């Protein structure tokens, strides 16, 4: 993703430094190979970053947010406690019981995309005394206030939650803030009391609050794969948070961001939302599909609801059952027997050969 391209180029040039110790001809060959590789890396990196032609302005929100919410041609609407300045969009102030959201007015018809969100969550509340977080949306409906981080429950589409407050005191195996993703066709409720765990597709803990440096989140959807990355340590590099396949999302939905405070509060600021089109080829069959008719879904081995019983949150890996353990042990035993037999045969042959020589 964005900064990955730069890192790849840096590592290539440090490899070039080693070449002075090699002979000239081999050096040239290796230089050509490395240059070729670095070109490929740069091109791959440019797909999403630093290449303005892939930035989709109609789905992006950038400083100084000219015309946002005020003109009739505005591509973004805002609601509730949302406050616009020239430097940030504050979804909620650091005050109790506030809700705010901002929504793209233009439906997105890109099949493969990557959304980069720069955000800032900060406030005077001490550790664990702040809330509730924010959510990034790609949904069928827009501007529908409700109880899920300021947006409606039973939504249709994708939600990425940056949950800063632990509601579920039984879920002590994970630390907060916690980032998670949920996909719903409208049938699933979001369980606030359990911090959305029954319906989450995956997630990671992320110390995003009260940082002096910029904090970013990237959501990539391409070829049925949903990847969520964070850049929150000021190292200018993405770290993977969620990566799952078998995801189906339609085109024609809306991007948005929302936030809510309750008894505890924080400032929840969006600095920018930048949408990049990913240049991905599809088969003619895929292209002929009506992508607006796709129902949001995830094909899982187990339903997300089973996730609640698994304290690791990793519902895709099933524990080893009795017969699997037995099979593994049997394989190990067979392996040992085969090794012993082969070893014995080799040893015997050597003995015979030694006898012939001496
Ligand atoms: Ca929560």
């Amino acid at each position: 993703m964005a900064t990955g391209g730069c890192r790849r180029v840096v590592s290539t040039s440090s490899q070039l430094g080693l070449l002075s110790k090699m002979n000239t001809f081999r050096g040239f060959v290796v230089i050509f190979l490395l240059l070729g590789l670095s070109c490929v890396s740069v091109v791959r990196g440019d797909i999403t970053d630093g290449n303005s032609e892939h930035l989709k302005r109609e789905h992006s929100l950038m400083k100084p947010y000219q015309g946002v919410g005020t003109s009739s041609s505005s591509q973004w609407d805002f609601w509730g406690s949302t406050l616009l300045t020239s430097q940030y969009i504050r979804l909620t102030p650091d005050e109790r019981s506030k809700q705010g959201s901002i929504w793209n007015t233009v439906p997105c018809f890109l099949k493969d995309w990557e959304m980069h969100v720069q955000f800032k969550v900060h406030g005077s509340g001490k550790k664990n005394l702040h809330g509730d977080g924010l959510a990034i949306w790609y949904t069928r409906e827009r501007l529908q206030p409700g109880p899920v981080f300021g947006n409606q429950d039973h939504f249709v589409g994708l939600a990425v939650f940056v949950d800063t407050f632990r509601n579920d005191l039984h879920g002590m195996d994970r630390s907060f803030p916690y980032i998670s993703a949920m996909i719903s066709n409208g049938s699933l409720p979001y369980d606030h009391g359990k911090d959305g765990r029954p319906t989450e597709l995956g997630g990671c803990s992320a110390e995003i609050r009260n940082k002096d440096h910029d904090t970013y989140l990237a959501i990539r959807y391409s070829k049925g794969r949903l990847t969520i990355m964070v850049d929150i340590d000021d190292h200018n590099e993405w770290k993977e948070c969620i990566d799952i396949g078998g995801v189906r999302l339609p085109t024609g939905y809306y991007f948005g961001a929302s936030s809510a405070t309750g008894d505890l509060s924080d400032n929840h600021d969006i600095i920018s939302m930048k949408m990049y089109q990913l240049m991905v080829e599809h088969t003619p069959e895929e292209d002929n599909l009506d992508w607006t008719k796709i129902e949001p879904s995830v094909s899982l081995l187990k339903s997300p609801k089973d996730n609640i019983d698994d304290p690791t949150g990793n519902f895709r890996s099933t524990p080893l059952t009795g017969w699997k353990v037995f099979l593994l042990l049997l394989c190990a035993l067979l392996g040992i027997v085969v090794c012993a037999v082969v070893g014995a045969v080799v040893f015997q042959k050597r003995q015979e050969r030694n006898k012939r020589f001496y």
Side-chain angles (χ1 to χ4, degrees):
M1 291 200 206
T3 47
C6 302
R7 288 208 321 281
R8 275 193 289 267
V9 177
V10 168
S11 67
T12 306
S13 44
S14 64
Q15 284 163 343
L16 284 175
L18 296 171
L19 296 177
S20 57
K21 292 174 186 163
M22 301 172 70
N23 69 52
T24 319
F25 177 70
R26 274 176 61 204
F28 272 124
V29 171
V30 177
I31 282 173
F32 272 117
L33 280 173
L34 286 176
L35 279 177
L37 276 175
S38 72
C39 283
V40 171
S41 301
V42 169
V43 170
R44 283 185 57 197
D46 277 354
I47 287 174
T48 55
D49 193 60
N51 190 342
S52 55
E53 75 183 89
H54 298 302
L55 176 73
K56 294 293 152 187
R57 292 190 178 275
E58 65 272 30
H59 302 301
S60 297
L61 186 61
M62 289 173 286
K63 291 186 216 175
Y65 322 112
Q66 266 166 346
V68 169
T70 52
S71 72
S72 57
S73 61
S74 173
Q75 288 161 343
W76 293 83
D77 278 337
F78 61 96
W79 170 85
S81 57
T82 304
L83 170 83
L84 266 77
T85 74
S86 62
Q87 297 302 307
Y88 55 83
I89 292 167
R90 182 152 293 167
L91 299 173
T92 77
D94 190 2
E95 295 169 21
R96 295 167 70 169
S97 303
K98 298 287 182 188
Q99 293 194 354
S101 65
I102 186 147
W103 286 90
N104 196 189
T105 61
V106 188
C108 177
F109 289 100
L110 303 175
K111 289 173 179 155
D112 303 87
W113 47 264
E114 189 167 305
M115 174 65 96
H116 293 191
V117 182
Q118 185 183 352
F119 64 98
K120 194 169 174 66
V121 179
H122 57 116
S124 55
K126 300 227 163 33
K127 190 164 172 58
N128 300 331
L129 290 174
H130 51 82
D132 281 308
L134 57 87
I136 309 297
W137 303 92
Y138 177 65
T139 51
R140 191 175 69 191
E141 278 92 28
R142 51 190 292 280
L143 276 176
Q144 301 287 324
V148 185
F149 294 87
N151 193 33
Q152 67 174 347
D153 203 355
H154 292 278
F155 62 89
V156 182
L158 165 73
V160 176
F161 303 115
V162 181
D163 187 349
T164 55
F165 181 73
R166 182 200 305 278
N167 295 79
D168 182 10
L169 295 177
H170 298 292
M172 299 305 281
D173 54 308
R174 55 175 63 166
S175 71
F176 278 69
Y178 191 81
I179 297 174
S180 66
M182 171 176 170
I183 285 175
S184 175
N185 59 3
S187 65
L188 299 175
Y190 176 82
D191 189 340
H192 239 299
K194 293 192 166 64
D195 298 306
R197 193 186 282 226
T199 48
E200 76 174 33
L201 302 171
C204 65
S205 298
E207 282 296 329
I208 46 102
R209 203 174 158 268
N210 280 347
K211 296 288 182 198
D212 291 330
H213 54 261
D214 298 334
T215 44
Y216 300 87
L217 178 76
I219 305 165
R220 166 184 280 213
Y221 176 66
S222 180
K223 291 209 147 194
R225 194 153 203 95
L226 177 71
T227 311
I228 295 173
M229 314 276 274
V230 290
D231 176 4
I232 54 171
D233 298 323
D234 206 19
H235 292 156
N236 200 30
E237 63 183 19
W238 293 113
K239 270 192 195 161
E240 192 177 293
C241 176
I242 300 167
D243 183 33
I244 47 167
V247 174
R248 282 170 62 77
L249 287 171
T251 58
Y253 280 16
Y254 297 95
F255 286 101
S258 72
S259 175
T261 62
D263 289 339
L264 300 167
S265 64
D266 251 337
N267 297 298
H268 296 97
D269 300 347
I270 297 288
I271 317 298
S272 68
M273 291 173 75
K274 292 182 181 174
M275 161 59 61
Y276 296 92
Q277 178 176 15
L278 300 175
M279 307 313 282
V280 175
E281 280 191 24
H282 289 272
T283 62
E285 295 83 58
E286 284 174 331
D287 278 330
N288 288 334
L289 275 176
D290 183 354
W291 283 54
T292 62
K293 296 279 196 297
I294 292 173
E295 184 180 279
S297 67
V298 187
S299 48
L300 297 166
L301 298 176
K302 288 164 78 181
S303 96
K305 282 184 176 166
D306 298 338
N307 192 18
I308 192 168
D309 298 325
D310 186 347
T312 63
N314 186 1
F315 50 86
R316 279 176 295 165
S317 64
T318 50
L320 287 176
T321 48
W323 68 272
K324 276 187 187 166
V325 173
F326 172 73
L327 272 180
L328 268 178
L329 283 175
L330 193 69
C331 287
L333 201 66
L334 278 174
I336 291 169
V337 170
V338 169
C339 284
V341 170
V342 171
V345 170
V346 170
F347 181 71
Q348 209 168 12
K349 287 241 161 122
R350 280 207 179 154
Q351 291 276 321
E352 282 171 13
R353 211 164 38 180
N354 286 348
K355 272 180 206 158
R356 267 182 254 138
F357 279 119
Y358 299 107

